[in-house]
Amino acid sequence: MGLVEDLKKDIAESRVVVVVGAGVSVQATDRAECASWTGLLRNGASHCADLNPGLKDKWLGIVQQEIESGDLDDLLSAAEKVTAKLGGRSGGEYRRWLRESVGALKPKHRAVLDAIQALGSPVATTNYDGLIEGITGHKAITWRDHS
């Protein structure tokens, strides 16, 4: 039996958890800016500069360089800078930005989402959007849900 047959058998026997990331969101939204992590960071940096025009020169340039470097440490640094400028994770502006950016994504191409749902397997994702929940009708469960 080949790998594909093994996988089909595992899916049929409910022994699979589907783990998806930003690639699914990028495909489903026809490459919407905020569907990818770097796109979301670019959007966040621009949003910070729009809120505080004093950031447009030096700060924005530094953050954009970090994002474009592709280096994981630089990306994390850029994410922390954006988070801090928006008032931190519990801040209203941070939450509003996420809701209005990645939280507002809508599918343009459902095929990949429909294919994931058709598997009938549990789905785990690192995505901030609600695209999978929107298609499946299932509510998200996070690490904070103790039950």
Side-chain angles (χ1 to χ4, degrees):
M1 190 183 282
L3 290 176
V4 172
E5 290 78 19
D6 288 347
L7 181 57
K8 287 179 181 179
K9 181 180 176 199
D10 287 342
I11 291 168
E13 294 175 1
S14 299
R15 296 190 310 208
V16 172
V17 173
V18 179
V19 180
V20 301
V24 168
S25 298
V26 168
Q27 174 65 31
T29 62
D30 198 21
R31 302 188 181 280
E33 176 191 32
C34 294
S36 72
W37 193 33
T38 53
L40 182 61
L41 289 175
R42 282 186 207 102
N43 179 277
S46 294
H47 185 69
C48 290
D50 289 343
L51 289 174
N52 182 349
L55 299 176
K56 285 197 185 219
D57 294 325
K58 190 173 182 181
W59 183 88
L60 184 57
I62 291 168
V63 174
Q64 287 172 334
Q65 280 185 322
E66 288 179 333
I67 295 166
E68 300 311 319
S69 78
D71 178 78
L72 180 59
D73 291 332
D74 287 346
L75 289 167
L76 291 171
S77 174
E80 288 301 323
K81 285 178 175 77
V82 168
T83 300
K85 292 297 182 195
L86 294 176
R89 286 172 183 78
S90 60
E93 192 59 48
Y94 176 79
R95 290 172 184 240
R96 182 171 74 94
W97 164 66
L98 285 178
R99 184 177 59 251
E100 293 177 358
S101 59
V102 70
L105 291 175
K106 301 287 184 225
K108 291 185 177 181
H109 305 291
R110 290 179 46 123
V112 68
L113 299 169
D114 289 337
I116 291 168
Q117 181 182 18
L119 294 173
S121 299
V123 179
T125 181
T126 57
N127 297 353
Y128 281 27
D129 61 63
L131 295 171
I132 291 172
E133 294 90 332
I135 295 296
T136 65
H138 295 138
K139 291 186 176 191
I141 300 171
T142 72
W143 63 274
R144 294 179 181 161
D145 296 312
H146 298 285
S147 59

